[in-house]
Amino acid sequence: MHKKLFMTAAVMAACIQTNAQTLATEFKASSNNNPISPTVYCADPTALDYNGRLYVYGSNDHQQFIKNGKKGENGYGDIKSLVVFSTDDMVNWTFHGTIDVAKLCSTWSTSKWWRAFHNSWAPSVMWRTTDDGKDEFFLYFANNSHGVGVLKASSPIGPWTSPLRESLIGSDTPGAVTQGANFDPGVVIDDNGTGWITFGGLPPEGANPLMPNTARIAKLKPSMTALDGSAIVLPAPYHFEASELNVINGKYVYTYCSNWSNRSDADWNTYKSQHGINVPKPETCTMCYMVTDNPTDPNSWVYKGVYGPHPGSSPNNHSHLHKFQGKYYHIYHNGLLLEGMKKAKATESNASTYRSICVDEVAVDETTQTVSKASLTAKGVSGIKYLNPYDLQQAETMGNCGGVNYEDFTNITKNTSISTLGNDASRNLQVKMKAGAWINQKRVDFGATGADKFTLRAKGTGTLEIRLGAKSLKTVATVNFASTDMEEQTIEVDPTQFKGTKSVFFVVTSADNFYVDAWQFTEVGSTGIQNIRHQTSDVRHQTYDLSGRRLSGAQQHHGIIIKNGKKIWH
């Protein structure tokens, strides 16, 4: 049962906000949209779009950051989970928690050490609808440098399972790299429904720098969890790592990161002449791309050039090219979040190589499969739609924040002090907010009528103030909250304040074990919680929790659940 409490907001429209309250420091400027997460280190992005949302997956650098005591160098060895974010507007991102790959692959056979589980880096993701109408999701990851593993799910956010008892690809895979690394998968399903996977990298000492021959491509069987034949050499010049695959206008587009070797003009001129191309040689550690209409013919691949520059604030480069809602995006990682945290003295000066995922638009000519060189910016992309405050919104959806920890509902204890990142994808994430913490939702459209009520779902004791335009401006509504259980509280707000498009800030001025789950405004003229206007197609007669776990009728449902494509309170 949920409980509604109605109270009048403390409206202070005539009072200019000069709070003595110290607000948590922001690690990315409020005017910027990069990185996508203002608090979580993550890298090596991949993406899929599903039911109107873009889902981005990445290596969980934050797991290594916590393991290292928020200092030192990111050695990647303790990264054994993946992170998941999603958006439908490109500026407000929902954090769905982590996928505990180590737990999912704990039963893998250890008879061959290179096929046992080691790490989860650099994912690549793909989904399809089967002939019987079921959606299937496949998430491939680099098992350290030793091979490629695969997970499977019926939802983009899980629950994930390991369909195999060992890695999909290892050094003993026919056609695999024998000297180098069999890692960094890139997967696509082509227009015929056939799956393809690329992988490989790290040329051994003495390899030809221009043509190290450490890139591979292989066809996948219909199961998507086995190779269909031997892997084939993909002749990528100056290849190093970071494979991804796309299909653009019927052509296969392979992207990868170039190596650090010196480039000989004479060697490149010879290569250009042999392949009939006229493009400059790639700079070191840049994202390059090749195109073919026959992926199994090594001689058919055409090198097209560089589309992703080296992110100077990151020691390496890894990106994904993705089309979403009619626009192409360059999704990549750099060191923006680390720079912001160092500037704020939130981590020690010796912290290094913790990466963060960013997004910028990139121009693509689909007719010629030509990708223009992307610009890497802190400002990032513009929003493609407005956030609807009359839809139920998760507290984990934000454009920026300060002083926020994410907590797994099932792991909340009185003494929890740090993020539990590294756990399995949470059944229902909450946002833990201390005094001074704040969350910012960008481009919130209240419309011409405006809102007259605000509902907060939370737990604990706290005071949450709503401010518009900037976190330091006047408070326009206040919720005083006290509950030992997760419950709803509804207050009245001044509709003259909540009209048009706003940047909304939720600022916590006092807190004691205060966890915020979700929020929703009510439009003037409506009563109670709105029927949620879900803009995607229905989920097929199944019930899921927020992490995509399918629920049975006998299971207890906590927080918000998704049923038949609509979010409802429980």
Side-chain angles (χ1 to χ4, degrees):
M1 289 289 294
H2 67 263
K3 181 180 180 183
K4 291 184 184 176
L5 301 177
F6 289 87
M7 59 180 291
T8 302
V11 179
M12 296 174 282
C15 177
I16 301 299
Q17 187 70 40
T18 58
N19 286 317
Q21 174 73 53
T22 300
L23 299 184
T25 304
E26 62 183 18
F27 300 138
K28 78 173 186 180
S30 294
S31 59
N32 293 339
N33 292 322
N34 278 331
I36 66 171
S37 173
T39 58
V40 178
Y41 289 115
C42 44
D44 308 321
T46 189
L48 62 81
D49 54 278
Y50 180 71
N51 282 354
R53 294 190 70 82
L54 179 69
Y55 291 84
V56 172
Y57 307 74
S59 303
N60 187 3
D61 277 22
H62 212 89
Q63 187 174 24
Q64 187 75 62
F65 182 64
I66 297 298
K67 182 73 173 181
N68 288 357
K70 302 184 179 181
K71 59 186 178 181
E73 182 178 1
N74 180 6
Y76 316 123
D78 287 299
I79 299 176
K80 300 176 185 293
S81 58
L82 300 169
V83 296
V84 189
F85 293 86
S86 75
T87 185
D88 64 355
D89 62 17
M90 299 304 296
V91 295
N92 295 294
W93 291 82
T94 302
F95 178 51
H96 294 286
T98 58
I99 303 169
D100 189 347
V101 185
K103 179 180 178 181
L104 295 172
C105 302
S106 62
T107 60
W108 279 14
S109 170
T110 58
S111 60
K112 299 175 181 177
W113 68 267
W114 63 90
R115 284 188 177 268
F117 175 78
H118 297 275
N119 293 99
S120 53
W121 304 337
S124 185
V125 68
M126 188 52 57
W127 73 280
R128 67 181 179 189
T129 301
T130 61
D131 291 340
D132 58 359
K134 295 180 180 178
D135 293 337
E136 293 182 327
F137 298 80
F138 299 90
L139 185 59
Y140 304 81
F141 62 90
N143 185 20
N144 199 290
S145 63
H146 312 313
V148 173
V150 59
L151 303 177
K152 185 177 179 180
S154 58
S155 155
I157 47 177
W160 297 94
T161 61
S162 175
L164 304 177
R165 294 296 303 276
E166 61 179 13
S167 60
L168 167 66
I169 294 171
S171 58
D172 55 351
T173 296
V177 178
T178 56
Q179 295 185 56
N182 291 290
F183 71 163
D184 285 15
V187 180
V188 75
I189 297 175
D190 66 21
D191 298 336
N192 299 315
T194 301
W196 299 89
I197 185 168
T198 53
F199 61 94
L202 302 188
E205 186 176 353
N208 181 344
L210 191 154
M211 194 53 64
N213 286 327
T214 50
R216 298 290 187 273
I217 186 166
K219 183 187 291 187
L220 289 164
K221 289 184 177 181
S223 67
M224 297 290 288
T225 59
L227 300 192
D228 187 1
S230 176
I232 299 167
V233 173
L234 198 163
Y238 297 110
H239 178 264
F240 189 62
E241 60 183 0
S243 297
E244 273 283 34
L245 269 176
N246 281 276
V247 173
I248 299 177
N249 196 23
K251 303 279 189 178
Y252 301 82
V253 180
Y254 171 63
T255 62
Y256 66 96
C257 178
S258 66
N259 60 35
W260 296 89
S261 302
N262 292 327
R263 274 81 159 126
S264 161
D265 287 339
D267 288 347
W268 185 248
N269 288 334
T270 299
Y271 178 86
K272 289 195 300 180
S273 176
Q274 289 174 341
H275 293 83
I277 61 174
N278 187 25
V279 292
K281 62 181 182 291
E283 302 93 338
T284 59
C285 199
T286 52
M287 296 305 301
C288 307
Y289 72 110
M290 302 182 74
V291 176
T292 187
D293 56 6
N294 184 4
T296 61
D297 178 5
N299 295 322
S300 69
W301 286 95
V302 177
Y303 177 79
K304 300 270 284 187
V306 170
Y307 85 93
H310 174 226
S313 57
S314 173
N316 49 33
N317 205 350
H318 198 120
S319 72
H320 176 67
L321 178 67
H322 198 92
K323 185 178 182 180
F324 177 63
Q325 301 294 335
K327 295 183 177 181
Y328 276 94
Y329 296 97
H330 176 51
I331 311 173
Y332 60 99
H333 68 232
N334 63 16
L336 277 182
L337 180 57
L338 181 60
E339 290 176 354
M341 290 190 74
K342 283 186 175 181
K343 184 178 180 180
K345 300 187 184 305
T347 187
E348 295 186 14
S349 60
N350 69 350
S352 65
T353 65
Y354 300 106
R355 302 159 296 176
S356 45
I357 294 176
C358 299
V359 184
D360 279 285
E361 281 191 51
V362 63
V364 176
D365 185 330
E366 294 184 333
T367 303
T368 61
Q369 296 81 40
T370 300
V371 186
S372 299
K373 195 168 184 178
S375 296
L376 313 184
T377 71
K379 183 178 181 180
V381 301
S382 301
I384 60 173
K385 62 179 290 189
Y386 294 103
L387 188 147
N388 187 348
Y390 308 121
D391 281 349
L392 186 67
Q393 301 291 342
Q394 298 305 310
E396 308 91 75
T397 300
M398 61 187 73
N400 204 357
C401 72
V404 165
N405 279 330
Y406 298 100
E407 302 292 347
D408 183 340
F409 182 87
T410 60
N411 291 334
I412 291 175
T413 64
K414 187 174 182 179
N415 297 321
T416 299
S417 60
I418 64 171
S419 168
T420 54
L421 288 175
N423 291 341
D424 196 6
S426 299
R427 195 164 65 102
N428 188 4
L429 279 175
Q430 318 296 328
V431 175
K432 183 179 183 181
M433 301 186 74
K434 60 185 180 182
W438 53 274
I439 293 173
N440 172 213
Q441 288 85 20
K442 300 185 176 184
R443 292 168 51 88
V444 181
D445 186 8
F446 290 94
T449 305
D452 60 2
K453 292 184 179 66
F454 172 73
T455 299
L456 180 72
R457 182 173 174 82
K459 175 184 178 181
T461 302
T463 298
L464 183 144
E465 298 181 356
I466 305 176
R467 304 174 188 176
L468 302 175
K471 59 183 177 292
S472 58
L473 293 181
K474 67 182 180 181
T475 296
V476 294
T478 301
V479 183
N480 293 303
F481 201 95
S483 175
T484 57
D485 299 314
M486 196 62 73
E487 68 175 29
E488 303 166 39
Q489 183 165 295
T490 299
I491 64 170
E492 296 176 359
V493 298
D494 180 358
T496 64
Q497 298 288 339
F498 295 93
K499 285 185 178 182
T501 302
K502 309 286 186 181
S503 187
V504 176
F505 290 81
F506 297 140
V507 180
V508 172
T509 55
S510 67
D512 182 12
N513 286 320
F514 190 46
Y515 298 88
V516 179
D517 179 38
W519 59 271
Q520 185 177 27
F521 283 87
T522 302
E523 196 168 8
V524 172
S526 300
T527 57
I529 299 297
Q530 303 298 299
N531 291 324
I532 304 307
R533 290 180 288 181
H534 195 62
Q535 298 180 356
T536 62
S537 59
D538 285 351
V539 178
R540 293 181 179 85
H541 307 294
Q542 295 290 340
T543 303
Y544 299 86
D545 66 19
L546 288 177
S547 289
R549 299 178 185 277
R550 185 172 293 167
L551 303 173
S552 68
Q555 287 179 275
Q556 294 295 313
H557 310 322
H558 297 278
I560 314 306
I561 61 175
I562 302 172
K563 187 172 184 179
N564 292 340
K566 294 184 179 180
K567 295 177 184 174
I568 59 174
W569 294 102
H570 196 283

